[in-house]
């Protein structure tokens, strides 16, 4: 801060000091550095004190229920700011609360919150973000990430708790406290045992000739994916040696996000070719997302999108549910969930198979909380996903889980192998039955919030005050839904069915040719994302024309509505 003052960098000082972090789709997340808008010792201490104030008000048995806290691998060498140090600061309070602290790298935070019946949980992580970032993810006592109104109330309590308590800076306090214990081994064992609820063919797995490669992307996933495979009856997957150990610099990848595809999976794919492994699975640094690639008969690799992998996993979970529940009446209590920007393939499943499908706002916090509500009424959610490679098979946790999904993918591949089918071939079979769902995802990078506001304000006043665009390129728009303002032209009262999301921008366009497209800001990164999908009817097979229309609409949306050149945006495709 002193350097910024000396250099007269007023804009940067204003950015850091004149605003505070807010809860996005995955908690508080920002770069590590000085200032109230960044992740640092002070802002984490303030956040923890604010959370304690809120919990003390609304959880009468807080001190006996306690908290669960954990951390990932992130660190900033220049300042000494690490996830572990931040975690210790989040423990240094004078509240007398018992704390289950994972002073190890830990990937099962929401599971531990539910298992202990804790009042809440905190995970220090920035997941797949760039190495400069870190975050503070908060789980409610139901094991799901907090959503409204908890997030807003906690932020208010943080602002009222800005003075650090006297012992807040004492990093040694947590080591000597009798209120803290490390339950890593117990929770890991319970989690692995409970994986049995989503393992359906252990004997077949044990005999499978398939070999698998796993990358943990320099994060926390290696040990847990190894154990999950063994729990399913498989040998441990072959680890990518350069990426299996925690490394806060993510030194072998330009971006620690496996969703970026083949370019960041290079080491995994080359290792798989040498080892003659057909399948590659890659977890992101905090092991809650999963990427999957499959070798195509010695002619390259198929890296599945989140939507494609969801089609496979949704089919697999329904197939095994029906095997165990032959009475069609049982399907009445089955649900699958997806975020609204994800593929509608599960909706197509539901229309034919007779189970229930629901959409939520983007972010797994909405899915987790909805699962909790459905479970209370006796419903069973067997699969949930978001297109950004976040999956949940079953409902043993209330957040996306890359560890369990990696083992499920292996079992599905092993089963299909006995039928002489690859994952790609089965995906085509699914589309033949339920209709091809062709989707594209791209994004632009924008580090200037006023520019983002200007872009979406222009969309809302495209043809005059409060007049949205009627077309894009050569394609006519029939309906518009704006979750930020609550407008939906397809509803009789013009109001959104989904909850309002005023803290983020999200506008969805339905085109006359059936394409659905959404522009939204990321809740974790400086991105504007563009999602487009064409949902064909079962039996429609002219895929090339569908893909061409989708490509044209996607290009027109980006060029006409986001204006990358004019707004200095960096284009990226997924």
């Amino acid at each position: 801060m002193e350097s910024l003052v000396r250099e007269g960098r007023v804009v940067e000082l204003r950015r850091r000091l004149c605003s505070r972090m807010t809860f996005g789709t995955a908690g508080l997340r920002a770069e590590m550095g000085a200032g109230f808008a960044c992740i640092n010792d002070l802002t984490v201490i303030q956040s923890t004190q604010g959370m304690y104030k809120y919990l003390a008000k609304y959880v009468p048995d807080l001190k006996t229920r306690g908290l669960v806290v954990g951390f990932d691998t992130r660190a900033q060498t220049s300042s000494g700011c690490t996830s572990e140090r931040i975690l210790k600061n989040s423990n240094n309070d004078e509240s007398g609360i018992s704390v289950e602290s994972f002073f190890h790298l830990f990937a099962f935070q929401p599971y531990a919150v539910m298992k202990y019946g804790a009042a809440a949980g905190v995970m220090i992580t920035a997941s797949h973000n760039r190495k400069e970032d870190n975050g503070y993810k908060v789980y409610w006592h139901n094991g799901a990430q907090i959503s409204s109104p908890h997030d807003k109330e906690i932020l208010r309590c943080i602002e009222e708790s800005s003075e650090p308590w006297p012992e807040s800076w004492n990093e040694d306090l947590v080591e000597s406290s009798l209120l803290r214990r490390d339950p890593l081994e117990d929770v890991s064992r319970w989690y692995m045992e409970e994986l049995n609820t989503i393992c359906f063919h252990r004997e077949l797995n044990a005999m499978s000739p398939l070999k698998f490669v796993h990358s943990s992307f320099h994060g926390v996933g290696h040990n847990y994916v190894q154990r999950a495979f063994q729990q399913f009856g498989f040998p441990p997957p072959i680890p990518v040696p350069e990426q299996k150990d925690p490394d806060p610099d993510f030194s072998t990848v330009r971006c620690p996000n496996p969703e970026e595809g083949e370019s960041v999976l290079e080491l995994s794919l080359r290792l798989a070719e040498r080892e003659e492994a057909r399948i590659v699975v890659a977890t992101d640094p905090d092991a809650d997302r999963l990427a999957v690639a499959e070798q195509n008969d010695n002619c390259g690799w198929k890296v599945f999108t989140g939507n494609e992998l969801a089609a496979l996993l949704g089919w697999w979970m329904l197939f095994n549910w029906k095997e165990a529940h032959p009475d069609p009446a049982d399907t009445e209590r089955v649900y699958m969930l997806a975020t609204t920007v994800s593929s509608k393939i599960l909706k197509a499943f539901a229309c034919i198979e007779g189970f229930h499908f629901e959409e939520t706002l983007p972010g797994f916090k909405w899915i987790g909380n909805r699962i909790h509500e459905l479970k209370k009424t006796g419903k069973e959610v067997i699969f949930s996903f978001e297109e950004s490679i976040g999956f949940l098979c079953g409902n043993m946790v209330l957040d996306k889980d890359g560890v369990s999904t990696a083992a499920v993918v292996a079992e599905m591949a092993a089963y299909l192998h006995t039928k002489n089918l690859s994952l790609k071939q089965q995906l085509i079979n699914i589309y033949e039955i339920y209709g091809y769902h062709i989707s594209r995802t791209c994004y632009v990078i924008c580090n200037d919030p006023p520019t983002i506001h200007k872009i979406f304000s222009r969309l809302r006043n495209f043809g005059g005050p409060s007049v949205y665009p009627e077309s894009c390129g050569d394609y006519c728009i029939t309906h518009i839904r704006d979750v930020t303002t609550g407008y939906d032209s397809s509803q009789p009262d013009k109001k959104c069915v989904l909850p309002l999301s005023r803290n983020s921008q999200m506008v969805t366009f339905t085109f006359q040719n059936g394409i659905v497209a959404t522009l939204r800001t990321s809740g974790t990164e400086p991105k504007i994302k563009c999602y487009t999908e064409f949902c064909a009817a079962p039996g429609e097979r002219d895929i090339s024309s569908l893909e061409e229309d989708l490509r044209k609409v996607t290009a027109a949306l980006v060029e006409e509505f986001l204006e990358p050149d004019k707004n200095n945006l960096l284009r990226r495709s997924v």
Side-chain angles (χ1 to χ4, degrees), residues 45-250:
I45 288 169
Q46 292 172 329
S47 298
T48 303
Q49 291 178 179
M51 193 172 79
Y52 165 70
K53 181 176 181 179
Y54 181 73
L55 291 171
K57 186 176 180 180
Y58 290 101
V59 183
D61 52 353
L62 171 60
K63 291 192 176 183
T64 56
R65 295 180 69 172
L67 302 174
V68 176
V69 295
F71 67 96
D72 72 0
T73 183
R74 288 176 177 267
Q76 185 184 56
T77 305
S78 60
S79 68
C81 182
T82 69
S83 289
E84 182 173 6
R85 175 172 147 182
I86 290 171
L87 177 132
K88 290 181 178 181
N89 286 329
S90 73
N91 278 260
N92 291 344
D93 62 44
E94 301 166 350
S95 58
I97 300 174
S98 61
V99 178
E100 309 289 348
S101 291
F102 295 103
F103 283 150
H104 299 268
L105 305 166
F106 196 68
F108 312 138
Q109 192 75 11
Y111 179 78
V113 171
M114 288 197 298
K115 203 68 180 177
Y116 281 103
V122 173
M123 181 69 180
I124 307 300
T125 179
S127 189
H128 59 286
N129 275 42
R130 62 191 189 130
K131 67 180 181 179
E132 292 82 7
D133 293 350
N134 215 326
Y136 188 94
K137 187 184 289 189
V138 179
Y139 294 91
W140 197 235
H141 52 67
N142 63 5
Q145 292 179 51
I146 59 167
S147 57
S148 187
H150 302 307
D151 51 0
K152 294 179 177 61
E153 288 300 307
I154 290 174
L155 283 174
R156 185 177 60 80
C157 290
I158 290 171
E159 291 172 355
E160 296 171 354
S161 309
S162 58
E163 180 74 21
W165 296 333
E167 288 294 326
S168 295
W169 306 100
N170 182 1
E171 289 186 33
D172 298 326
L173 177 66
V174 71
E175 297 288 357
S176 59
S177 174
L178 298 177
L179 292 171
R180 194 271 298 177
R181 64 181 177 131
D182 181 351
L184 179 68
E185 284 307 313
D186 285 342
V187 173
S188 296
R189 186 180 69 256
W190 297 334
Y191 175 92
M192 294 301 165
E193 290 171 353
E194 204 163 335
L195 284 181
N196 293 335
T197 60
I198 53 174
C199 176
F200 308 107
H201 303 278
R202 184 173 285 100
E203 292 183 3
L204 182 151
N205 298 341
M207 296 184 295
S208 177
L210 290 182
K211 295 167 70 176
F212 302 88
V213 162
H214 169 241
S215 170
S216 54
F217 265 60
H218 300 294
V220 304
H222 171 70
N223 290 335
Y224 307 114
V225 171
Q226 295 272 306
R227 290 178 63 177
F229 267 63
Q230 291 172 300
Q231 190 70 27
F232 269 59
F234 291 105
I238 302 164
V240 179
E242 302 93 332
Q243 298 176 335
K244 78 179 183 65
D245 296 322
D247 173 9
D249 290 325
F250 306 112

Side-chain angles (χ1 to χ4, degrees), residues 488-495:
D488 188 340
S489 67
S490 69
Q491 297 298 315
D493 60 0
K494 307 300 181 188
K495 293 183 179 179

